[in-house]
Amino acid sequence: MRFGHFSDAAREYVITTPRTPYPWINYLGTEEYFGLISHTGGGYSFYRDARMRRLTRYRYNNVPTDVGGRYFYVNDDGDVWTPSWAPVQAELDHFEARHGLSYTVITGERNGLRIETLYLVPLGATAEIHRVRLTNTGATAKGVKLFSILEFNLWNALDDQTNYQRNLSLAEVEVDGSTIYHKTEYRERRNHYAVHAVNAPISGYDTDRETFFGLYGGWNAPDAVVAGHCHNSIASGWSPIGAHQIDVALAPGEVRDLVFVLGYVENEPGAKWESPGVVNKAPARALLQRFSTSEQVDAAMVELRSYWDDLLSTFTVDSGDPRVDRMVNVWNPYQCMVTFNMSRSASYFETGIGRGMGFRDSNQDLLGFVHLVPDRARERILDIAATQLPDGSAYHQYQLLTKRGNHDIGSGFNDDPLWLIEGVAAYVSETGDLAILDEDVPFDNDPEDTGTLFEHLRRSFHHVLHNRGPHGLPLIGRADWNDCLNLNCFSETPGESFQTTENLAGGSAESVFIAGLFVHCAPDYATLAEAVRAPEEADRARRAAAAMSAVVLDHGWDGDWFVRAYDYFGNKIGSSECDEGRIYIEPQGFCVMAGIGVESGEAVRALDSVGKILDTDHGIMLLQPPYTSYHLELGEISTYPPGYKENGSIFCHSNPWVMIAETMVGRGDRAFAYWKKIAPTFREEISEVHRLEPYVYAQMIAGKDAPRHGEAKNSWLTGTAAWNFVAITQHILGVKPEMEGLRVQPCLPAEMTKVEVTRRCRGAQYRITVANRGESGSPRLAVDGQPINGTVVPYGPAGSIVEITVDC
Ligand code: BGC
Ligand code: NOJ
């Protein structure tokens, strides 16, 4: 069952009922100022860091689940309703929410009044616009009262939800005409405030929450809205809000636009005040000037659309199947931009107060983002590398505002350093910018202790070699990619964090997954070593990878699949010797991607085992059979009921590894079949089962052992976005920037007979036409009409157009 449809021409998902199976959200903002917005107007806003600079308040896990946002209420002669349906939930004659690229439009109509609200963050602005368009669709004149309302957050979102003895005495505001200034803590160390304004005279306002809602009133019927007027309250402590009242008269057919702005404003420390106690409003006024008319908002929309037109023109496909094209051309890159910006901080499953930027997560996010804005990828790489520790290990997370490693979590996740190699290799392949390797970058942000970026990669690579266990496999440390495989941890204390608990001394648990990742990184690392004129290091890396492959085949091969790990006691995990957790997805994907066992047959066998044991109608499960009880020696993985999260769900992040692996052995049909099972555009038709947004990937879909098999959770912020983009574009469609040229090596399913791809890379434009005759494995290429050997097309000069035809 569907709850809306794609509008491909507009690049929107159009939701046609407010009663979707879960709030379906979107993101506003592309660079510094961000907002989350659900299809019924729920959500919140922040400047750069969802924890430290939260502008508006949102209560997670609420009843109903999604209440709190930037809302507009109507009092139409006593009839109170909200055009976003929530929070009043009065029935609408018409409802539509359109989620587009960095904007959302929500329309509600009732009793002859249509209200369409456009929400967007203009490029280059630290503000969001809510343009409210009222249309009298009836035959009689209307006089209604319109109210805006949002709740201000006292900046630090964690403190805001926990420290009431202080917070309830802090709030301060100013009101100047139609502009409300939220200035809590501005009197002390902050030099920023928020504004909430409208480009029209108002007939009232409220800034004190209790006055607007009533102490016992709620979002469904605020006292002021029901009474039909605000009270011009000035918040003093308690909870500050920004509410405007505007009386609107509309003749039949008349349309009126109101432009509301919610903005973040900073002053220089020396220029904070206009007069004692009165904030310097000059930058706020300048901001409001930029968006004081509806035409200015139209212009901002045009700019935003052309920004996305340009970004998305980097890679386009025409495959003949709209479900493929809309995923690859629009929604997947869009999600990659969001994961790049947010890491794992703020979604409807991440509260924005929990995690900073993940070292491994951010590096993986780059894989799907680097082609969109390479310069921002470059900056991110240097930020991440600057948090690396001198011994090559890495803080697991860092804070975006301070760019410092997070001491609470610390380091010890032994896969982390290798993801830096993956990220840098993707960036250099995309751009050819070898100069980045020579950039001088600190270790642990210490300006006294620096090295070139290549030196950082070298320490990453050697960190693995220096930390090997009894079988010669990499030590897992705290955990590897699977954060929940805590093999050295042995936690018996309820509620203790598996991420931070002290590990047992002498932990010698080993990870076959890290071995696969190591072998996978090695060729790229060696090529980068050659680029910095370190050929011996390149040789060393290649030899180390060959040796590690051999170790994997000796100690990491179980007979029908790759073993997952060795535990603290040296027992196998993910082996036919185990009762539960006999086979895991990660080493099957990564070892085959690394090429281990491809020549000697283990790869195909492992992939066949995946197909037999882990595959379901909804995607590939992480492991089988799931753990049915808590295992002290395994940690968090066994805390989840069977079929959820790492304990046997369909963990969408690792599914594309198997897709890529299938293309490594030339099985395009299987790769594509796996992709279709988890790709949201293909799951749209079972939205009542999947429940989350049909336009973005979710981290997990419940596995077959869970009662709710097929139900997704944790949409948006997941490495699933980047890896699926890599799988479908670089391996199935097969267009992959490499150091020495653009590799064009499609591995297509039989059902895709003709495919056209355009790819912009290093300033040249590649137009690729693929005729699929079902002989995947041996594509024949012609470049500008001339047949070439192999599948790597040398990069054309900037500005050139290169025509490539492929027969496969
Ligand atoms: C989740 C993992 C996640 C980890 C991060 C765990 O509870 O199951 O998916 O990586 O938390 O802290
Ligand atoms: C989500 C985390 O963000 C990611 O870093 C981890 O690899 C996966 N969960 C698997 O545990």
Side-chain angles (χ1 to χ4, degrees):
M1 190 199 289
R2 293 182 168 84
F3 297 83
H5 56 267
F6 286 92
S7 165
D8 292 324
R11 296 179 180 146
E12 290 171 347
Y13 193 79
V14 184
I15 299 163
T16 48
T17 166
R19 293 182 176 84
T20 51
Y22 205 71
W24 285 0
I25 74 161
N26 193 16
Y27 285 82
L28 311 174
T30 50
E31 283 179 335
E32 291 196 307
Y33 181 106
F34 298 103
L36 282 70
I37 183 161
S38 73
H39 71 294
T40 58
Y44 60 94
S45 313
F46 56 94
Y47 172 72
R48 295 189 64 193
D49 186 317
R51 173 164 169 179
M52 307 303 286
R53 291 277 196 287
R54 184 84 63 101
L55 269 84
T56 61
R57 187 175 284 158
Y58 185 78
R59 295 175 189 80
Y60 276 88
N61 211 351
N62 218 331
V63 182
T65 188
D66 176 36
V67 70
R70 323 127 177 107
Y71 292 126
F72 296 94
Y73 287 83
V74 177
N75 183 328
D76 180 359
D77 212 8
D79 180 35
V80 170
W81 60 284
T82 31
S84 51
W85 185 68
V88 174
Q89 299 189 2
E91 286 309 320
L92 300 171
D93 302 328
H94 171 75
F95 171 86
E96 187 185 86
R98 288 188 276 138
H99 285 319
L101 304 183
S102 313
Y103 69 88
T104 286
V105 184
I106 303 177
T107 306
E109 182 169 348
R110 185 172 157 102
N111 292 336
L113 179 63
R114 171 180 288 239
I115 300 187
E116 176 197 280
T117 309
L118 162 68
Y119 301 82
L120 83 147
V121 174
L123 293 174
T126 58
E128 64 189 67
I129 308 296
H130 314 147
R131 182 181 60 196
V132 180
R133 175 165 289 170
L134 302 102
T135 307
N136 181 348
T137 56
T140 52
K142 275 214 171 277
V144 303
K145 306 202 185 243
L146 181 85
F147 299 84
S148 74
I149 165 77
L150 47 84
E151 233 187 308
F152 290 114
N153 191 288
L154 306 188
W155 301 114
N156 178 327
L158 176 60
D159 201 60
D160 183 81
Q161 296 288 299
T162 45
N163 193 6
Y164 298 113
Q165 59 80 24
R166 170 176 159 86
N167 293 343
L168 296 182
S169 295
L170 284 187
E172 289 190 299
V173 298
E174 284 178 36
V175 179
D176 178 28
S178 302
T179 308
I180 295 166
Y181 292 81
H182 172 231
K183 59 169 185 178
T184 300
E185 288 189 348
Y186 189 78
R187 61 169 55 245
E188 32 134 338
R189 291 154 296 176
R190 295 188 185 277
N191 66 331
H192 43 265
Y193 57 78
V195 287
H196 186 207
V198 54
N199 68 339
I202 56 176
S203 16
Y205 60 84
D206 271 309
T207 64
D208 175 57
R209 190 178 80 197
E210 201 173 308
T211 310
F212 183 78
F213 284 96
L215 183 57
Y216 297 101
W219 287 98
N220 59 329
D223 279 6
V225 177
V226 172
H229 60 88
C230 286
H231 292 90
N232 298 351
S233 57
I234 296 290
S236 171
W238 298 108
S239 301
I241 59 162
H244 303 95
Q245 177 196 336
I246 299 174
D247 301 340
V248 188
L250 292 169
E254 191 178 343
V255 182
R256 169 131 185 239
D257 283 359
L258 293 166
V259 181
F260 291 83
V261 177
L262 169 65
Y264 170 89
V265 177
E266 275 179 9
N267 274 320
E268 289 299 317
K272 282 175 64 170
W273 306 102
E274 208 163 273
S275 57
V278 179
V279 300
N280 175 0
K281 302 187 174 61
R285 291 196 177 112
L287 170 73
L288 298 179
Q289 273 291 303
R290 288 170 60 197
F291 307 107
S292 62
T293 68
S294 203
E295 292 69 33
Q296 287 171 313
V297 177
D298 286 335
M301 263 307 284
V302 169
E303 260 194 283
L304 187 62
R305 280 193 200 280
S306 70
Y307 170 80
W308 275 108
D309 285 347
D310 178 51
L311 292 186
L312 297 182
S313 65
T314 315
F315 190 107
T316 70
V317 64
D318 179 354
S319 70
D321 184 337
R323 294 168 299 181
V324 175
D325 297 357
R326 60 174 67 118
M327 204 63 235
V328 171
N329 294 338
V330 182
W331 296 96
N332 194 173
Y334 182 53
Q335 186 178 3
C336 287
M337 164 72 92
V338 172
T339 57
F340 175 86
N341 283 327
M342 301 288 131
S343 190
R344 306 296 170 262
S345 67
S347 71
Y348 266 28
F349 297 86
E350 300 276 9
T351 58
I353 57 181
R355 304 206 235 171
M357 309 290 287
F359 193 96
R360 97 156 65 88
D361 293 333
S362 296
N363 276 305
Q364 287 175 85
D365 292 345
L366 286 170
L367 308 180
F369 174 81
V370 65
H371 69 295
L372 294 175
V373 195
D375 287 349
R376 292 187 68 203
R378 186 181 210 275
E379 197 184 321
R380 176 66 55 80
I381 285 170
L382 297 175
D383 283 353
I384 298 174
T387 69
Q388 187 177 25
L389 292 154
D391 70 352
S393 64
Y395 284 104
H396 195 48
Q397 293 170 2
Y398 72 99
Q399 294 306 132
L400 190 59
L401 269 187
T402 61
K403 300 188 175 173
R404 302 260 153 187
N406 183 339
H407 283 276
D408 301 341
I409 307 273
S411 79
F413 296 77
N414 283 350
D415 64 317
D416 272 338
L418 292 177
W419 295 110
L420 183 63
I421 299 179
E422 297 267 343
V424 172
Y427 169 78
V428 175
S429 298
E430 179 70 38
T431 59
D433 171 19
L434 291 170
I436 194 174
L437 299 170
D438 295 327
E439 289 279 350
D440 197 38
V441 185
F443 289 97
D444 196 7
N445 282 106
D446 176 358
E448 301 295 308
D449 183 10
T450 67
T452 62
L453 181 64
F454 182 78
E455 174 60 16
H456 283 255
L457 303 188
R458 198 189 65 75
R459 294 195 200 178
S460 289
F461 194 78
H462 288 270
H463 186 263
V464 175
L465 290 175
H466 292 149
N467 289 279
R468 282 181 288 169
H471 299 92
L473 290 162
L475 291 173
I476 197 167
R478 216 167 241 306
D480 61 19
W481 172 87
N482 191 329
D483 271 328
C484 298
L485 210 46
N486 314 118
L487 302 182
N488 300 308
C489 153
F490 297 83
S491 174
E492 287 190 287
T493 309
E496 187 170 59
S497 161
F498 289 95
Q499 308 282 305
T500 53
T501 310
E502 201 50 47
N503 278 334
L504 284 196
S508 57
E510 297 168 282
S511 163
V512 177
F513 168 80
I514 300 183
L517 175 58
F518 177 83
V519 178
H520 185 257
C521 286
D524 279 339
Y525 172 66
T527 310
L528 295 172
E530 276 154 0
V532 297
R533 293 168 304 282
E536 317 77 46
E537 178 63 7
D539 282 353
R540 212 172 293 135
R542 292 194 177 103
R543 283 199 307 274
M548 188 69 86
S549 300
V551 172
V552 169
L553 290 174
D554 282 350
H555 299 290
W557 177 249
D558 197 57
D560 280 313
W561 55 80
F562 293 99
V563 175
R564 177 63 176 85
Y566 284 89
D567 72 11
Y568 185 82
F569 307 103
N571 297 319
K572 284 183 188 162
I573 294 176
S575 150
S576 53
E577 293 170 17
C578 310
D579 293 335
E580 295 177 337
R582 289 159 65 89
I583 172 170
Y584 279 65
I585 191 173
E586 304 98 311
Q588 322 315 325
F590 245 94
C591 291
V592 178
M593 280 166 70
I596 304 173
V598 169
E599 297 289 307
S600 44
E602 289 86 350
V604 165
R605 238 157 124 175
L607 293 174
D608 287 347
S609 298
V610 169
K612 271 191 227 118
I613 309 172
L614 296 179
D615 189 25
T616 74
D617 289 348
H618 297 284
I620 310 166
M621 294 175 290
L622 191 146
L623 57 78
Q624 272 296 298
Y627 299 103
T628 49
S629 57
Y630 180 56
H631 288 252
L632 198 57
E633 76 287 6
L634 298 179
E636 185 172 357
I637 194 162
S638 60
T639 64
Y640 290 113
Y644 290 121
K645 292 286 281 182
E646 279 84 346
N647 192 17
S649 80
I650 293 140
F651 214 91
C652 298
H653 184 154
S654 43
N655 275 232
W657 300 341
V658 173
M659 299 168 202
I660 298 170
E662 287 287 0
T663 67
M664 294 275 304
V665 298
R667 301 198 298 197
D669 281 316
R670 289 173 68 107
F672 189 64
Y674 284 137
W675 183 68
K676 286 197 293 189
K677 289 183 181 187
I678 63 164
T681 50
F682 283 83
R683 296 180 65 78
E684 183 196 12
E685 61 195 46
I686 53 160
S687 287
E688 78 287 6
V689 177
H690 182 78
R691 293 190 66 202
L692 298 187
E693 296 91 337
Y695 40 90
V696 288
Y697 291 96
Q699 181 201 49
M700 73 136 217
I701 298 170
K704 81 168 167 46
D705 302 279
R708 309 182 67 129
H709 182 36
E711 181 188 71
K713 290 202 191 91
N714 202 4
S715 51
W716 285 98
L717 303 185
T718 158
T720 311
W723 274 109
N724 275 285
F725 189 75
V726 170
I728 184 80
T729 64
Q730 299 186 357
H731 297 274
I732 297 175
L733 299 171
V735 180
K736 180 174 192 287
E738 293 189 349
M739 310 276 181
E740 59 289 356
L742 189 69
R743 185 177 293 279
V744 182
Q745 194 174 317
C747 186
L748 297 175
E751 67 202 81
M752 248 187 228
T753 49
K754 181 165 185 271
V755 176
E756 291 187 3
V757 170
T758 67
R759 179 66 157 93
R760 198 165 64 225
C761 191
R762 305 192 188 190
Q765 181 76 13
Y766 299 85
R767 294 193 191 144
I768 304 159
T769 309
V770 188
N772 179 20
R773 303 182 213 285
E775 299 155 24
S776 64
S778 53
R780 287 176 304 284
L781 270 67
V783 177
D784 292 330
Q786 298 301 312
I788 63 160
N789 287 329
T791 53
V792 178
V793 179
Y795 288 114
S800 61
I801 296 178
V802 183
E803 302 279 351
I804 303 170
T805 54
V806 187
D807 269 302
C808 59

